[in-house]
Amino acid sequence: MKPIASEIAYIVRGSARKNLKVLTAYCSFLACMVFGYAFLFQHLMQTLEGREFSFIAGVYWVITVMTTLGFGDITFHSDPGYIFAGIVTISGVVFLLILLPFGIISMFLAPWIENRLRYHPLLEVPPGTGNHVVICGLDPVTRALVRKLQARDIPFFLVISQYEDVQRLEEVEGIRAVYGDPSDLAVLMKLGVERARNVIVNLGDKENINIVLTVRSLCSTPIVTMVDEPEHAELLRLAGANQVVPLKKILGRYLATRATTKGAFAHVLESLGKLLIAELPVHGTPFAGKKLRDALIREQTGLAVVGVWERGKIVIPRGETYLSEQSVIVVMGARNNLEKLEKLTGELPEQDMVMIIGHGRVGCSAASFLEHKSVPFILIDKVVNSGCTEHVAVIGDATSREILKGAAIDQAQGLIATTNDDSANILFTLASRHLNPHIRIAARANREENVAQLYTAGADFVVSTTSVGSNILMNILEKRDSIFLSEGMNIFRHPVPETMDCRTLQSCRIREKTGGTVIGLERGRQEEPIIIPSPETILTSDMTMILIGSPEQEARCRELLH
Ligand code: AMP
Ligand code: ZN
């Protein structure tokens, strides 16, 4: 059954919404007419027949006459009175009994019936569909994933249980979705899950478990599922999910890495085998105010700088790249290289202090990460997180300046703005930047369109739920082990192809042909990887290249190296 809510929603949007305004204006006109006649009735009764009636009695008389009910309990006994009653009756017939129903039918009922007859939702995938991606659940993350799948020409089918959403998606966004309940076995069969390349499940944890179990009872198609509460991950795996993505936990870790200022190991973002990838703010290090060439990072630590962030934009560094106080360098190297960096910068994580606003799942994960790295932090939330027994948060609405000041924002070196409300995150960013100009701010954007605003408000780093989520899903779908640095920059691996065996890196002209840059070479698990290989390095087919580049460059590299 289609929910009544979806029918009401139909009336309050689109052309029906415009018609609703016309209907409201017409009803106001009718009300004015009733009140006007009631007033005249009172006046005529008194002047023609000398009888007193209240205004309410007048309204009652007009309604009974206009609707032609005419109870006959109040009547005129004079010719002008009869004429007036006649006029009221005729206007009632015309305006109330003819025009009003006609208007309602032509403006609402007919378009609604036409719409229902015209629109037939898709109930199953076309015969012969195979190797497609089935997506259960529509939210900003799956929407962004859909755009990526469309750009790569990968067939997909969304399954949505809300009739209204299915129709709107098709009519407004041109995406055809299958209408049905994804936990229903019959619906899953109609989606051809057994022939699909992947099933992505992205609803609430409980519904996810239900869907995973149902899909598993049908086939062995790989299932990727999102999880809200990390402790449900094991249950989802037991139910049969192949990959479980704890998005909020990952987001918390990303934010924490970017808000800390001290302690090189607190900045490790990912690892590729023995290679660690870390993002280190330049502020407070001896590298600030120097060109990359003069900062001598490689010479002193052995770490390779593979990218430089400047307010949300990442560039491939060159010798002349300037490292400002606001820059963040992406470095790659082994554990001992990072140890050297830590000695060089001389600042321990314990000397840092990070304020986390929002102790939900993301904030809690950021706190756990910082705790693990020995970075002190303060948590603020307007409510107590009942799911966390490890951390104690200051309770209060962080939009109030007093709470921020009371929580010593002026002493914090880092801030993580991670509430589920983007306008609040923008406000904290602005206020904190104002109270403490040198604070390092990492903010969460729940909606993609707020990323730019958060940067404008003064954030050093914005992590968007949508792009992180959709990139993780895309990586899994394309079976890539690439690391997502930001929208627009990935680190990825590819084995050296036979055609490049025994050739120098320079002669392969990978950068010229694809735009991607080789930043490392691995040979087996035991040997130390070569970081930033020189152009004369000889490639052998037992090596794996580590490259950095945009998603388009990554696609070109994969094509060239195939
Ligand atoms: P989650 O999406 O699970 O990371 O949760 C977001 C958290 O942000 C919730 O615990 C909310 O209580 C919290 N939050 C939302 N608005 C505010 C605010 N104005 N001040 C403090 N915390 C907030
Ligand atoms: Zn917690």
Side-chain angles (χ1 to χ4, degrees), residues 248 357-364 380-385 396-399 418-421 424 428 444 446:
K248 294 207 164 178
I357 304 178
H359 182 212
R361 276 163 292 216
V362 181
C364 188
I380 306 180
D381 200 301
K382 56 181 178 187
V383 290
V384 177
N385 181 343
D397 188 337
T399 40
T418 175
T419 74
N420 45 359
D421 176 355
F428 308 142
R444 152 183 171 190
N446 298 285

Side-chain angles (χ1 to χ4, degrees), residues 359-361 363-365 367-368 377 379 385 387-392:
H359 182 212
R361 276 163 292 216
C364 188
S365 150
S368 303
F377 58 87
L379 277 161
N385 181 343
C388 169
T389 48
E390 284 155 40
H391 311 122
V392 181

